[in-house]
Structure formats: C-alpha cells, structure tokens
Amino acid sequence: MHKGIGVSPGVVVGVAYRVESVLGSGEPQTLEDPAQAPAEVARFDRAVEETTAELETFVQRIALELGTSAADIFKSHLQIVNDPELTARVHAAIEKQRLTALSALQVVMNAYAAQFARIDHDYFRERVTDVRDVMTRIGSHLSRKPGSPEDGNGAIDSHDGEEPVILVAHEILPSQAMSLGDLPIAGIVTEIGGSTSHAAILARSRGIPAVSGVEGIMDDVVAGDLMVVDGREGHVIVRPDREATAAYRKVQREFFHYKDSLIANRDQPAVSCDGTQVELLANINNLADAHAADTVGATGVGLFRTEYLFLTHHDVPGEEEQYEYYRQIVLNSPGKTAVIRTLDLGGDKTVPYLGRRNEPNPFMGWRSVRIFFENPKLLVTQIRAILRAGRHGKISMLFPMITTVEELRRLNAMVKEAKANLKREGVPFAEDVKTGVMVEVPAAAVCIDALLRETDFISIGSNDLIQYLVAADRDNPKVAHLCEPLSPSIFRVIHMVLEACQRTGTPVTVCGEMAGQARSALVLFGMGLRRFSMSPAFIPQVKALLASVTTAQAERFAHHVLQLSTSEEIRAYLSDRLREASSMLEAIDYA
C-alpha cells in the first residue's frame, strides 16, 4: 500500500496505464553512422510539423469548448514549438554531437532546465511546465511507431479490456489534462501534485477517484497491474490480494450506484429533514464549470476564480475582454447569480507579465491583493469589468487574502472611484454590486467584527484558512496531514466567524473544500451556516446529506464537536453520525 493525498473521493479497482515521459533521464543515444544525421534532422523537423498541426487543432477545440482565453495557453505552446532557437539547438546536437533526434531533444530540454534555474524574470522560467509539455509532444511524435494508437502525449486512445483504466504518472501536464477529457479513465494516481494540481482538477471535474503525492509509485507499477485507488483515504494498493480486491470492488459498486442515484435530486430543493432551507452554490473556473453547476442543481455560483482567465493568457486581459468573459459567466450561471473573486495570484499561481520575485515563502509573500497595491491599474480594470457585467445578472465582487481593515478600506475606495469614473464616462454598469471579504487569513478571522463594519458579505475560504492556521502547505505530502479540516482549531475559528456574522445579519458562505465534505458540512450546518459553495460534483451528495438530518440534530452534533479536543475524536464521532444518516454518504466522503 502507498499513501498519498486524496484529492477526489471514491474508490475504484482497475488496471494501471502508465504515462511515460518520452524524454528520459538516461544516457543520450548516439547515431550508429554519422551519415544518418541529415535523416535524423528531417525526422525532427517532421515531428515539429506534426506537433504544430496537432496544437493548432487543439487550440481550435479548446476555444470552442472552454473559450478563447483557455486556448491562449496552447497558443503559447505554438510559439514555443516554432521557436527558431529550439530548432537550432536540436539540429546542432544531432549534427555536432551525433545524437538521435529524441536524445538531442532530451539534451536541449536539460539545458533549458539548467537555464531556468539561473535566470529570473524570464518568460520560459515562468512557463517551465509549458516548455516541458511542448517537448514531450515533439518527443512523442519522434517515438511513435507507424500505426501506434497513442496520441501526441502518449495518452490512451482506446482501451479494449474489461477493467477500468487507472492513469499512473509522475505528473499530469496541462495539455494532458485537457486531452484526457474524453478518455475512459476511472482513476488517477500521480507522484507529485496536490489538491490544486492539474490531475486533481481533472479528477474532481469528472467525479473520479484520485490520489496525488504518491512518492515512488512509478517504480512499483507495471502497465496492466491491478490497482486500487481510494480517494477518500489517499490510499493506493498495487497488486491487491483476492480478499482486498473483492472488498474494494464491493465498495466501488456501491459508490457508483449511489452517485448515479443522487443525480435524481437535481430539481429537489436543498432542505433539511425538518424543512430548513440551504443554498448550495458552485465553485467554478470557467464557462464549462458554469454549465456543470446548472446540471447538478446549484442555485448559483458562489465563487468564480478569475485567475484562470489570467493564467491562460499571454498578457493582461483588457477591460473589454474581461467584461465579455464575466458577462458570459453570469449569463450561464444558475439563476444568473455569481460571486466573482478578484484576481488571486501568487503562491503556486504566477504569470510572466507581472514578473517574478524569488521569495522563500511565496504563499505568505507578494500575492493576491498585495499585488494590486503595487499594480492598482490591474485591479481597477478588473473592478470596472465586473461592475459592467453586473448589468446582466446578480453579481457580487469578492476580495481575497484580506488581512487588515486598512486593506479593505483601500479596496472599497477603489470600487467607489471606479463607479464614479464609469458614471462620468457614460459607461453602463450595475450600481448594486455587493462587495465581500474572503476570510482565509487568521488575522481576518480574529478581527472579524471590524471587517464586518466595512463589507456586505463574508466568504470563508477554508482551504487557505486551514493551512495558514496550522502553518503547513496542504500540497506538501510531508506536512499535508497537518491540514486537517476536522480539527478543533478550524471548527472553533469558523464558529467564531459564523457567530459574528449571525449577530450582524451579514450573509456568510463557506467556499473551501469543507463545504463539499459530508462530515464537515454536517457540523457547519449545525453551526448555523446556510450558504455552501463547492465543486459542482459534490452538490448532489451534500443535498442528500442535509435531507437526512434535522436542524436540531445537526446543532447537537456541532455542539458536541466543539467540546472535543482532537481531530481523531472529531473524525470518529462524525463518522458514526454520518453512518447513522447514510452509510453510503460516509463511504464517499473524503475529509
């Protein structure tokens, strides 16, 4: 058994499909005859042409499915693959070092990697993953044999076996995550990455079990091996015995049967057993997610992460482009209702056009609203676009990473000034756009009473709040166990924030992973939370959970949890309560 980070709940038994890196780390292979060099150069040039054609088709497909902004990242891939410097370096390695085309590509990639380590504020430094992605595509064309069923990334094109396929990889690259969307994958296991990795996002959007951060899994798995992936506990079992296989197959059948049955509650109201109404909202990244939110019965979008528009863009998106994108988001959101979070860059999300700062701890450094105060025009442009899009539905604006009242006052002043300028310019906009604060820094939670006097609503970002509260990176396998949502400290802090909001009548939402995890959702409901925002895939099960308990029961559960002193005690207690409500809800939860 291997232990990792459960990033998407559920259990699956299937056969391993390894995604190999075509750019290996072994010794470069030389040509047997120097006279082969021209043919090898031609072979490389042909692979570049094939990769270019593949990417052009891919850009068109992604633009149709997810919008032009999402396709921009792959437009940058086209720039990389057609970079004359890349071609010249590979040609030189073939002709002067007498390397095969694939080995020449490997050598050039290693040289780029060394260069990335030395150069600051360079575009390729910021996009090292994209460069590796492109070279992997070229390498896959060089490695492909005539009639091979593999695509440009070595991904599965067809599967004839009866067992579900479990994708096993060191990491999932951006284009692989996009390419795998239509393939028969039932589980994902990666050696690196955490809850915000491409693999995790792909898995949760498709509702399939996944575990990340499984060190050494590629050394232990052979293609075709039977595997168990338990996305609840973060366990991966390679070549399970007959007894374990039978037990997990039973859980798998129950898991998928129960998930299928939950689809039926799409049009049912979200209410407790005794009739207390709750709003179940969706966290989204793009237009496709907005459609998914409507499909599962969300009543609105509780969090639209605008940074994905910026991350997939070659430059700062202009006001008109942002306005049009936000307009499409709200028009396609359930009830035409959406909370739009302003740009939350930094930490693990950077863009080259804002530069890069070498910080010892980027998650606690120059990020989010702190970037805005050095680049105020960036925020003003976004505020104007959001205000203008507010005319097409019910939009609210959410500020992330707020630490002090002074920051909030400064941001509120910028919104007021943007409204005045739009009015003076005669540009139509919505006057009634509400502004809110994301509570994810412990300082904001402690000073919640002061913040409430300056804001219209509160959104609790439990993911960051947990990791800042316990001083541990949730995506680091070495310390991820400390980021425990079922901990006394996090429940007490959230309870404090909820009580403050209840005293003042301020609307409050929890929009982190806790909102979609059955055990924690049960406690949050008992504490008085009535607005939950989560990945669309989790909405049906939370709706089913709430329908299985009364408000009084949940209040008793929450009161008891607040008296407990360890995460183990809380987990055991809530597992018992969840099992009493529904054994399947307990089985598919992964908190």
Side-chain angles (χ1 to χ4, degrees), residues 1-291:
M1 178 183 289
H2 295 259
K3 177 66 177 173
I5 302 170
V7 296
S8 185
V11 172
V12 64
V13 180
V15 294
Y17 183 92
R18 293 170 56 99
V19 176
E20 306 286 356
S21 172
V22 296
L23 300 177
S25 57
E27 289 296 320
Q29 296 181 350
T30 56
L31 297 171
E32 295 180 1
D33 183 353
Q36 294 176 316
E40 206 67 5
V41 167
R43 199 164 72 88
F44 171 76
D45 290 345
R46 187 165 55 252
V48 168
E49 291 175 1
E50 292 170 348
T51 301
T52 300
E54 183 178 66
L55 281 169
E56 287 173 344
T57 301
F58 199 59
V59 165
Q60 294 174 7
R61 182 167 72 84
I62 294 300
L64 287 173
E65 294 178 0
L66 301 179
T68 56
S69 295
D72 279 343
I73 188 172
F74 301 107
K75 290 181 182 177
S76 71
H77 287 196
L78 277 168
Q79 294 174 349
I80 296 169
V81 77
N82 291 309
D83 179 11
E85 177 67 19
L86 170 62
T87 299
R89 287 192 181 195
V90 175
H91 283 187
I94 294 172
E95 294 168 345
K96 296 179 181 179
Q97 299 180 44
R98 299 179 180 177
L99 298 177
T100 65
L102 188 59
S103 289
L105 189 63
Q106 174 190 331
V107 166
V108 172
M109 178 67 246
N110 292 341
Y112 273 123
Q115 192 174 344
F116 299 153
R118 295 192 303 268
I119 300 176
D120 293 331
H121 306 297
D122 185 273
Y123 176 81
F124 288 113
R125 166 104 187 215
E126 295 293 339
R127 288 300 182 191
V128 59
T129 300
D130 295 324
V131 176
R132 187 166 64 250
D133 197 329
V134 169
M135 292 195 176
T136 298
R137 277 187 175 272
I138 298 172
S140 67
H141 283 285
L142 288 169
S143 303
R144 184 187 297 177
K145 298 175 182 178
S148 169
E150 296 181 349
D151 70 7
N153 280 311
I156 311 163
D157 192 42
S158 62
H159 174 61
D160 298 326
E162 296 181 0
E163 292 283 2
V165 170
I166 295 174
L167 202 67
V168 185
H170 177 65
E171 68 175 328
I172 300 294
L173 295 169
S175 62
Q176 289 173 326
M178 296 288 190
S179 298
L180 296 171
D182 299 323
L183 300 174
I185 298 167
I188 297 177
V189 179
T190 61
E191 290 188 320
I192 65 173
S195 60
T196 59
S197 67
H198 293 292
I201 294 169
L202 169 68
R204 284 198 294 270
S205 68
R206 296 183 60 192
I208 61 178
V211 180
S212 291
V214 186
E215 296 181 7
I217 190 66
M218 291 294 282
D219 294 330
D220 192 29
V221 172
V222 176
D225 273 347
L226 193 66
M227 295 179 66
V228 173
V229 177
D230 186 342
R232 308 163 306 166
E233 303 292 339
H235 292 159
V236 176
I237 304 174
V238 182
R239 297 177 294 276
D241 60 28
R242 184 177 301 178
E243 183 178 350
T245 301
Y248 277 105
R249 284 193 193 280
K250 181 175 183 294
V251 175
Q252 175 183 333
R253 287 193 298 271
E254 293 171 348
F255 169 71
F256 284 106
H257 175 74
Y258 188 69
K259 285 195 68 176
D260 289 343
S261 71
L262 290 179
I263 296 175
N265 73 15
R266 178 198 182 282
D267 297 319
Q268 297 173 5
V271 294
S272 66
C273 191
D274 58 332
T276 300
Q277 293 189 339
V278 174
E279 283 189 74
L280 297 184
L281 308 166
N283 297 340
I284 69 169
N285 301 323
N286 50 44
L287 280 171
D289 289 347
H291 292 302

Side-chain angles (χ1 to χ4, degrees), residues 327-489:
R327 185 180 75 87
Q328 289 296 327
I329 287 291
V330 72
L331 288 176
N332 287 278
S333 295
K336 295 183 180 179
T337 301
V339 176
I340 299 180
R341 184 175 70 184
T342 57
L343 189 59
D344 188 17
L345 289 176
D348 61 340
K349 297 188 286 288
T350 61
V351 291
Y353 46 79
L354 289 181
R356 178 186 177 92
R357 297 189 178 187
N358 289 326
E359 299 178 285
N361 192 338
F363 284 93
M364 294 188 179
W366 191 65
R367 59 169 298 192
S368 199
V369 294
R370 301 166 187 178
I371 295 177
F372 288 147
F373 295 143
E374 285 194 32
N375 299 272
K377 290 183 179 179
L378 183 68
L379 179 58
V380 170
T381 298
Q382 186 170 36
I383 288 173
R384 287 171 59 97
I386 293 172
L387 291 172
R388 291 173 58 192
R391 297 171 50 242
H392 304 285
K394 184 179 179 182
I395 280 182
S396 301
M397 191 184 316
L398 179 62
F399 297 125
M401 199 71 182
I402 299 299
T403 306
T404 67
V405 172
E406 291 87 347
E407 288 177 338
L408 180 56
R409 288 174 178 168
R410 188 172 175 182
L411 292 167
N412 284 337
M414 293 173 76
V415 174
K416 184 177 180 180
E417 184 179 3
K419 287 182 177 180
N421 288 336
L422 286 169
K423 186 175 295 185
R424 184 169 55 252
E425 296 165 15
V427 178
F429 70 98
E431 289 271 10
D432 59 346
V433 171
K434 303 292 184 183
T435 56
V437 168
M438 199 162 188
V439 174
E440 51 193 340
V441 178
V446 171
C447 296
I448 186 64
D449 289 322
L451 291 173
L452 288 176
R453 291 191 285 270
E454 310 280 344
T455 194
D456 295 321
F457 66 97
I458 292 293
S459 188
I460 301 173
S462 62
N463 297 2
D464 275 340
L465 182 59
I466 292 171
Q467 72 170 350
Y468 290 138
L469 197 61
V470 300
D473 180 1
R474 65 178 181 268
D475 288 338
N476 183 341
K478 297 291 187 184
V479 295
H481 65 281
L482 296 172
C483 297
E484 168 61 78
L486 302 179
S487 72
S489 59

